[in-house]
Amino acid sequence: MRIGILSDVHANLEALEAVLVHVEEQRHDALVSLGDFVGYGPDPNNCVTRLHQRGLRAKVVGNHDLAAIGARPIDDFNLLAQEAIVWTQRHLSVEAREYLAALPERDEIDGVLLVHGSPRLPVDEYILDARTARASFAADAFRIAFVGHTHVPAIFEEARHRVRLAEWLPAIPKPLPPGHRYIINVGSVGQPRDSNRDAAYVLFDTEEATVTLFRVPYDVAATQRKMEAAMLPVPLIERLAVGR
Ligand code: ZN
């Protein structure tokens, strides 16, 4: 099975559409989302509707999704994120709200764990280094887990009880040998933060046992114009152009 794995769309419809076109060309069998459908961007309802129509085989909730439906407090968000969440709360449709409210914290596909943050703390924990990854490898018995949340693509590999950040170049299938364990961050569709403005997503081929990171250019200026019209915070508009 070839599974397209998206995360952190963050209400960026132009980025989402570009990724959906790209993944269609990859002969994928299923699509899954790792949460943060909304927050930051100007198209929360359209992004939820688009993914709902397209059909997700598995999906989990993100911290911004929960904040947008009022299911968690926002005081631990930074001020810009708070402002965007309040905007999203005001603009979210009843249908989008219901869709987000029904999302689980964990899901799986083909025996692989799916969470937004980390296997240890599924919604909120950021795995930014091998040390944090090690805690999640110890906390749960998964062999492969896919995560999002940091907006930075990464593969953490556990082999012979050592955890390291593996090298991962875009567009080249990366083998996942048996016996090794993995936490794979698929990056962000709608707000990349690894100094690359192109939308990120991953294709996981279960038969070949490979993961491929793709970067997909999209019309950043179109999203920025919509954010300006919506009067979303300027730093959130600017960061899209530099992928930070
Ligand atoms: Zn996010």
Side-chain angles (χ1 to χ4, degrees):
M1 181 158 50
R2 288 161 66 82
I3 307 167
I5 307 178
L6 327 178
S7 191
D8 296 272
V9 171
H10 281 294
N12 184 335
L13 187 64
E14 287 70 30
L16 175 60
E17 293 290 2
V19 163
L20 291 177
V21 167
H22 194 279
V23 74
E24 197 61 47
E25 292 162 357
Q26 308 306 314
R27 300 176 290 108
H28 71 294
D29 305 298
L31 201 61
V32 308
S33 166
L34 305 183
D36 277 4
F37 290 70
V38 303
Y40 295 130
D43 274 310
N45 298 324
N46 289 332
C47 286
V48 170
T49 304
R50 192 75 178 84
L51 285 168
H52 180 48
Q53 287 168 344
R54 182 69 175 241
L56 294 172
R57 189 77 67 85
K59 47 193 183 298
V60 295
V61 74
N63 53 323
H64 284 253
D65 302 323
L66 290 174
I69 60 171
R72 59 165 288 163
I74 59 171
D75 33 300
D76 63 328
F77 283 55
N78 67 53
L79 289 176
L80 296 170
Q82 287 189 21
E83 213 180 305
I85 283 295
V86 170
W87 182 94
T88 305
Q89 288 171 342
R90 280 206 302 267
H91 290 83
L92 209 56
S93 68
V94 173
E95 295 75 21
R97 196 177 298 270
E98 283 172 359
Y99 185 88
L100 298 177
L103 295 172
E105 286 189 2
R106 294 164 180 269
D107 206 343
E108 63 159 65
I109 184 166
D110 213 48
V112 160
L113 176 64
L114 309 172
V115 290
H116 180 65
S118 80
R120 185 170 66 153
L121 296 165
V123 178
D124 280 303
E125 186 174 52
Y126 293 90
I127 301 181
L128 290 161
D129 52 41
R131 201 190 134 134
T132 317
R134 190 175 302 118
S136 265
F137 281 120
D140 203 313
F142 65 91
R143 186 173 96 82
I144 300 174
F146 286 94
V147 305
H149 196 34
T150 66
H151 301 205
V152 177
I155 296 185
F156 294 95
E157 180 180 51
E158 188 197 70
R160 286 174 226 92
H161 305 291
R162 296 190 58 159
V163 178
R164 69 183 185 104
L165 185 59
E167 191 183 18
W168 196 17
L169 299 171
I172 299 169
K174 166 99 181 162
L176 306 176
H180 296 198
R181 299 173 70 202
Y182 293 93
I183 296 173
I184 300 168
N185 192 312
V186 303
S188 169
V189 171
Q191 198 202 75
R193 291 180 193 160
D194 59 340
S195 304
N196 179 346
R197 62 190 249 162
D198 296 343
Y201 83 96
V202 162
L203 189 76
F204 173 40
D205 188 321
T206 61
E207 270 107 68
E208 299 286 325
T210 59
V211 278
T212 309
L213 170 66
F214 288 110
R215 302 308 293 252
V216 185
Y218 71 95
D219 190 347
V220 173
T223 306
Q224 289 178 314
R225 283 193 297 275
K226 286 185 187 174
M227 291 175 79
E228 277 163 26
M231 293 194 288
L232 281 157
V234 171
L236 296 181
I237 301 172
E238 289 173 342
R239 72 187 304 176
L240 290 183
V242 289
R244 284 307 307 175

